[in-house]
């Protein structure tokens, strides 16, 4: 099984935020931006403009430089027909246009920029700060499909007869999303309390609710510190995962929970905190809803979400 590149597990978040949304020094806060990152910060190394097309060197995908070539929202079927027409006439010299997968569209999202939520300095034009269709249907509700909000970064699902924007893509050649449905091949139990993920290299707590109750965001960050003092599972590098790490667990071919079939985790809960603040509204942090795999937000002071600790393998 090919491992996912580390850059797809990191966000570009560079600031830390208090529970009231104010910017604070990162220090040892345990927040997303306080973690050491390897991701290249300059978009000059990622995007290459080829006239009407922009090549993404991270994924091998070619996007239309105009992020709204249809100009108007369309139903999911209309969007599919639009990219079929682009394929048939080899628009811009490419013959493999399609709607992007959810994972490919999510790979573009910035967690430090908004309106649009794309990396600072990107060369893409005419980005509409709203929802864009993906090619993926919802497993539990097949009359719905996944879309991604290019204004703030939410990942949700909606009825296929609804009208949203489309952004054609061609030639993605890097596996960044769901590697398959075989959780037994992907996950390996180490000791009694830890699970190694071969797809990402991360180590997760086998117990997906080690705190035993829902927590407020700041409390979740503090509880992780306690796990480190106790050396949970023999590790001392536990932390609250960022939103990309949490989302990497999602299997769009499954639901309730949307995790790979045969996964070894126990005590799966409905929704989890990430260490990543929503810069669209910094009093909120990014969350993962496990029933279908929605990426949403939670109000930081509310004790409505659970903690699923992770550490680097």
């Amino acid at each position: 099984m090919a491992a996912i590149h580390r850059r797809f597990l990191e966000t570009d978040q560079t600031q830390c935020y208090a529970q009231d949304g104010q910017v604070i020094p990162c220090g040892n806060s345990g927040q997303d931006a306080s973690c050491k990152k390897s991701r290249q910060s300059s978009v000059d190394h990622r995007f290459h403009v080829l006239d009407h097309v922009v090549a993404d060197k991270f994924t091998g995908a070619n996007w239309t430089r105009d992020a709204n070539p249809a100009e108007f929202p369309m139903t999911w079927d209309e969007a599919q027909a639009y990219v079929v027409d682009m394929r048939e006439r080899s628009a811009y010299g490419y013959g493999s246009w399609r709607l992007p997968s959810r994972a490919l569209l999510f790979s573009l999202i910035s967690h430090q920029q908004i309106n649009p939520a794309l990396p600072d300095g990107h060369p893409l034009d005419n980005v509409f700060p709203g929802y864009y269709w993906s090619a993926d249907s919802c497993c539990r509700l097949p009359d719905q499909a996944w879309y991604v909000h290019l204004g703030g970064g939410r990942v949700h699902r909606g009825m296929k007869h609804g009208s949203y924007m489309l952004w054609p893509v061609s030639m993605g050649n890097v596996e960044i999303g769901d590697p398959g449905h075989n959780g037994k091949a992907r996950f390996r139990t180490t000791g009694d309390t830890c699970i190694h993920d071969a797809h990402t290299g991360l180590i997760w707590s086998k117990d997906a609710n080690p705190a035993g109750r829902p927590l407020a965001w700041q409390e979740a960050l503090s509880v992780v510190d306690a796990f480190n003092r106790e050396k949970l599972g023999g590790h001392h590098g536990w932390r609250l995962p960022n939103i990309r790490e949490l989302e990497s667990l999602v299997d769009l071919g499954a639901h309730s929970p949307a995790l790979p079939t045969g996964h070894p985790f126990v005590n799966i809960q409905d929704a989890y905190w990430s260490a990543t603040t929503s810069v669209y509204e910094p009093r909120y942090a990014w969350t993962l809803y496990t029933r279908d795999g929605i990426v949403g937000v939670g109000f930081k002071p509310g004790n409505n979400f659970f903690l699923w600790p992770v550490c680097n393998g």
Side-chain angles (χ1 to χ4, degrees):
M1 179 182 296
I4 191 171
H5 195 287
R6 180 64 199 170
R7 63 174 167 245
F8 295 117
L9 296 173
E10 296 175 350
T11 79
D12 59 349
Q13 192 151 107
T14 58
Q15 293 181 307
C16 294
Y17 302 84
Q19 191 156 276
D20 63 3
Q22 297 299 309
V23 175
I24 60 171
C26 282
N28 296 315
S29 66
Q31 295 186 33
D32 186 348
S34 70
C35 297
K36 183 178 179 180
K37 302 186 181 187
S38 61
R39 188 171 186 159
Q40 292 173 317
S41 59
S42 173
V43 294
D44 294 336
H45 293 100
R46 177 171 184 179
F47 298 112
H48 180 54
V49 178
L50 303 166
D51 199 8
H52 296 291
V53 173
V54 173
D56 182 350
K57 297 178 183 178
F58 279 10
T59 63
N62 297 307
W63 299 87
T64 56
R65 186 170 187 181
D66 183 348
N68 185 17
E71 298 185 3
F72 299 103
M74 293 182 170
T75 68
W76 193 72
D77 286 340
E78 289 171 340
Q80 295 280 17
Y82 188 94
V83 294
V84 166
D85 176 71
M86 290 185 68
R87 284 201 303 271
E88 290 177 346
R89 57 188 173 86
S90 295
Y92 309 128
Y94 294 87
S96 58
W97 294 106
R98 58 181 173 83
L99 291 182
S101 67
R102 173 181 135 156
L104 197 58
L105 198 50
F106 188 59
S107 76
L108 289 178
I109 291 296
S110 166
H111 291 93
Q112 190 60 56
Q113 309 297 325
I114 59 171
N115 295 324
L118 294 175
D120 188 33
H122 69 84
L124 301 152
D125 295 332
N126 202 22
V127 183
F128 179 73
Y131 281 110
Y132 277 76
W133 284 120
S134 82
D136 294 311
S137 296
C138 176
C139 177
R140 184 174 63 89
L141 303 166
D143 57 351
Q144 299 188 26
W146 290 100
Y147 45 51
V148 178
H149 194 268
L150 268 293
R154 287 179 186 240
V155 181
H156 216 285
R157 50 174 169 72
M159 300 299 294
K160 291 179 178 178
H161 60 66
S163 294
Y164 301 100
M165 313 309 286
L166 72 98
W167 193 351
V169 70
S170 177
M171 297 173 55
N173 63 5
V174 173
E175 180 184 43
I176 58 175
D178 173 19
H181 309 318
N182 190 348
K184 292 181 180 178
R186 175 175 173 177
F187 299 111
R188 183 183 77 252
T189 303
T190 59
D192 296 326
T193 58
C194 299
I195 303 295
H196 179 266
D197 182 350
H199 185 52
T200 63
L202 295 171
I203 294 174
W204 295 89
S205 168
K206 181 177 182 178
D207 184 348
N209 181 23
R213 58 186 175 86
L215 307 166
W217 188 66
Q218 189 58 54
E219 187 180 14
L221 292 166
S222 299
V223 168
V224 172
D225 275 345
F227 289 158
N228 285 324
R229 291 193 297 272
E230 298 164 6
K231 295 194 70 173
L232 177 68
H235 295 278
H236 54 76
W238 294 107
R239 53 186 171 78
L240 198 60
N242 71 43
I243 191 56
R244 290 192 177 276
E245 291 169 328
L246 265 180
E247 198 275 340
S248 75
L249 291 173
V250 171
D251 183 341
L252 294 183
H255 68 85
S256 309
L259 297 176
T261 301
H263 71 81
F265 301 108
V266 297
N267 296 330
I268 304 293
Q269 303 300 308
D270 290 338
Y272 288 94
W273 287 117
S274 80
T276 310
T277 290
S278 168
V279 295
Y280 202 87
E281 172 45 90
R283 293 177 301 167
Y284 289 73
W286 287 105
T287 56
L288 178 73
Y289 295 81
T290 59
R291 187 180 189 186
D292 293 317
I294 289 170
V295 177
V297 294
F299 187 50
K300 289 178 177 178
N303 59 344
N304 301 314
F305 299 89
F306 291 84
L307 160 66
W308 194 348
V310 71
C311 63
N312 295 334

